[in-house]
Amino acid sequence: MMNAQTAETVSITSAAIGQFGRYLLSARTNHFISDQRVAVGGPGEAINAGELLLSSLGSCSLGLIQKTAKEEGIVLREAGTEVSFRRHATDPTQYEWIRIVVRLSGVTAGEAETLVAGFTANCPIYNTLKRGGPVEISWNVS
């Protein structure tokens, strides 16, 4: 199903802010701090990049599960997710796995399957990770 958001372009900005391993991230008018992990020399106090990835999957899953419930007339009492990854033991540039555990209450098993399918069929974050989508990088020097 095509909609106005299909071709939406979203950008965030990030900047190193004077303390090694600490960054200011901005999305629209929202600003927050992210840290490098302690294991690589960062402060490790604020949310880190891997946790942000997991958070985006959690947010997308719940948003689409609620949307699907509303569209399908499914009465969903509660919904939650636990999203985790394991860093690959010998290749730290990749995750060995990413897991999403969805917790739903007030629905039947069939309704749960419909709700989770609404997420997996429509979340661009999930599907890009699952399919290994294209990533481009460029740089400039000033």
Side-chain angles (χ1 to χ4, degrees):
M1 178 174 139
M2 299 291 282
N3 61 40
Q5 293 185 349
T6 301
E8 178 183 30
T9 299
V10 176
S11 297
I12 66 106
T13 59
S14 57
I17 57 173
Q19 178 182 353
F20 181 82
R22 178 150 290 167
Y23 316 106
L24 174 66
L25 294 106
S26 299
R28 300 180 326 278
T29 59
N30 302 291
H31 312 285
F32 61 97
I33 299 297
S34 177
D35 283 351
Q36 275 275 15
R37 298 176 299 124
V38 171
V40 293
E45 296 167 355
I47 193 168
N48 67 46
E51 293 165 336
L52 287 166
L53 174 67
L54 297 179
S55 298
S56 67
L57 284 166
S59 179
C60 195
S61 65
L62 292 176
L64 287 166
I65 285 168
Q66 285 185 326
K67 178 181 183 286
T68 304
K70 184 176 182 181
E71 291 172 352
E72 299 292 326
I74 297 171
V75 178
L76 177 62
R77 270 202 322 262
E78 293 181 20
T81 60
E82 180 180 336
V83 189
S84 55
F85 63 69
R86 176 180 291 153
R87 190 176 295 275
H88 197 281
T90 58
D91 181 358
T93 67
Q94 65 178 340
Y95 298 126
E96 190 172 318
W97 48 256
I98 297 173
R99 293 191 181 132
I100 304 167
V101 177
V102 179
R103 296 179 315 279
L104 305 171
S105 66
V107 299
T108 67
E111 290 171 329
E113 188 174 334
T114 297
L115 296 175
V116 172
F119 156 58
T120 59
N122 294 292
C123 178
I125 301 162
Y126 170 82
N127 282 292
T128 299
L129 288 168
K130 183 178 175 185
R131 296 176 191 143
V135 177
E136 297 177 22
I137 187 166
S138 62
W139 61 91
N140 59 53
V141 177
S142 59

